[in-house]
């Protein structure tokens, strides 16, 4: 029975499995598109001092790895934004700690019948 099923599957896939093998080999070759970032070039001379700061993905114009935002945001403005964001999350955490009802009442209060057992616990009848 299993032999028949594999034979049927073989016929569906293209007779003797040629379609399956060619599909596997084309997926191995990335469908003929090559590597995702271009060809790997092995350096044959010494690299420049700032070579690790450039992202060369094989295009005509390599781009810098570090974004050039120093002109638009100063270091003290960035420090202000950082302190403001950290201060916001610290105050949010402190509000959560101060408003934590589970730590103040660690158990669920029980509700008893007959007006919460007022008379049985010594209250006025």
């Amino acid at each position: 029975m299993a032999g028949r099923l594999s034979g049927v599957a073989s016929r569906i896939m293209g007779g003797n499995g040629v379609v399956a093998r060619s599909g596997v080999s084309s997926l191995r070759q990335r469908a003929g598109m090559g590597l995702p970032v271009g060809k790997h070039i092995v350096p044959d001379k010494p690299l420049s001092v700032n070579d690790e700061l450039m992202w060369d993905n094989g295009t005509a114009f390599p781009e810098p790895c570090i974004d050039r935002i120093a002109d638009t945001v100063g270091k003290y403005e960035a420090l202000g934004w950082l302190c403001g964001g950290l201060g916001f999350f610290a105050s949010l955490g402190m509000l959560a700690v101060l408003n934590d009802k589970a730590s103040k009442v660690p158990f669920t209060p029980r509700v008893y019948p007959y007006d919460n057992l007022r008379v049985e616990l010594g209250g006025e009848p």
Side-chain angles (χ1 to χ4, degrees):
M1 183 78 181
R4 276 192 221 153
L5 288 177
S6 64
V8 170
S10 170
R11 280 190 224 117
I12 291 173
M13 289 300 292
N16 55 2
V18 173
V19 174
R21 281 188 299 234
S22 67
V24 169
S25 68
S26 68
L27 288 175
R28 244 186 247 135
Q29 301 280 336
R30 295 185 184 265
M33 293 173 39
L35 294 173
V37 291
K39 293 183 178 182
H40 181 69
I41 300 169
V42 178
D44 55 353
K45 58 186 178 212
L47 298 174
S48 66
V49 174
N50 296 327
D51 186 66
E52 69 270 4
L53 299 177
M54 295 300 290
W55 173 255
D56 187 8
N57 58 354
T59 61
F61 304 105
E63 55 188 274
C65 293
I66 301 172
D67 291 333
R68 311 268 169 140
I69 62 168
D71 298 336
T72 58
V73 179
K75 66 178 177 179
Y76 294 112
E77 183 182 358
L79 179 66
W81 278 104
L82 177 68
C83 291
L86 292 176
F88 169 75
F89 283 112
S91 63
L92 184 68
M94 288 306 295
L95 281 173
V97 166
L98 292 175
N99 196 23
D100 188 20
K101 293 181 182 177
S103 66
K104 294 174 186 165
V105 182
F107 54 88
T108 305
R110 290 203 56 175
V111 178
Y112 294 103
Y114 304 111
D115 196 19
N116 210 12
L117 299 176
R118 184 178 49 85
V119 176
E120 287 79 4
L121 291 174
E124 295 284 329

